Each structure stands twice: as structure tokens, then as C-alpha cells.
Amino acid sequence: QVQLVESGGGSVQAGGSLRLSCAVSAYTYRGSYMGWFRQAPGKEREGVAVINGVGFTLYAESVKGRFTISQDNAKNTLYLQMNSLKPEDTAMYYCAAGRVFALRKEYFNTWGQGTQVTVSS
């Protein structure tokens, strides 16, 4: 049973914007901290942003001021608005649900299939 489905990835030039969406099953959404992670080829999966049920957020230093995580509780949907994109943002982006408010992949146990973001210079 699919629980997290990402969409919105694509190819953009540096300085451009993309908005990722993640549709979450109600069972998974309820009581979970939601986050976005990314993994570039040959690199470890890293936390990008996390949000809790009342809107508190955490961001990786590399994306602060450029990316915004948000959620629509009525639609069980998570978003990641990405502005001022850089080539180093190129990666597969994953939506995830977990039980700890932290940017650590070890604390997230439900993952989507990922959506590719490619930023060209």
C-alpha cells in the first residue's frame, strides 16, 4: 500500500524555482513529523527540512533562506518550495514520515519513491 507519493520534480536552470508536493495517506500523516530529504549520486541521503504538526520547522544550513517546507493538513499534503536553486541542489528528493523532530534519516521510517530535481548552471 503506497503511503507517500512525491511530485513536482524537474529540470531548471540555476536561480529558478520548483515546488515539490507529497501526498500522504491519512494513517501515515496522523501523528508523524514530516520531512524532505535528498540524495545525490555517490552521497549519503541528507535531511533538507522537517515540519511538525503545529508548523515548527528545521532546515539544513545549505537551504536556509531558499527553501520553505509547509503542509496542508486538510489535504494531507506536504510541500517544499525551492527558490534560488543551485546546481548543488541536484538530487533525488524524498518525502518521509517519522517520529522524531530532527533532520536525521534514521528517525524516519516511511519513505516515498522520490522525485528528481536537476539544476543546470
Side-chain angles (χ1 to χ4, degrees), residues 14-96:
S17 298
L18 283 172
R19 188 176 84 152
L20 306 183
S21 299
C22 176
V24 187
S25 65
Y27 176 80
T28 299
Y29 197 81
R30 191 168 51 245
S32 296
Y33 296 106
M34 301 301 302
W36 288 98
F37 292 75
R38 67 185 181 186
Q39 187 167 17
K43 294 188 176 181
E44 291 285 323
R45 190 170 297 188
E46 63 176 0
V48 175
V50 174
I51 190 167
N52 72 0
V54 294
F56 286 111
T57 57
L58 285 175
Y59 291 96
E61 285 296 324
S62 59
V63 306
K64 278 184 180 178
R66 300 189 298 122
F67 290 12
T68 302
I69 188 172
S70 62
Q71 58 193 5
D72 185 330
N73 292 331
K75 297 181 179 179
N76 291 349
T77 302
L78 181 72
Y79 301 100
L80 185 68
Q81 178 67 44
M82 304 185 295
N83 299 328
S84 302
L85 282 161
K86 304 175 181 180
E88 51 263 43
D89 294 318
T90 295
M92 185 72 78
Y93 282 70
Y94 297 90
C95 170

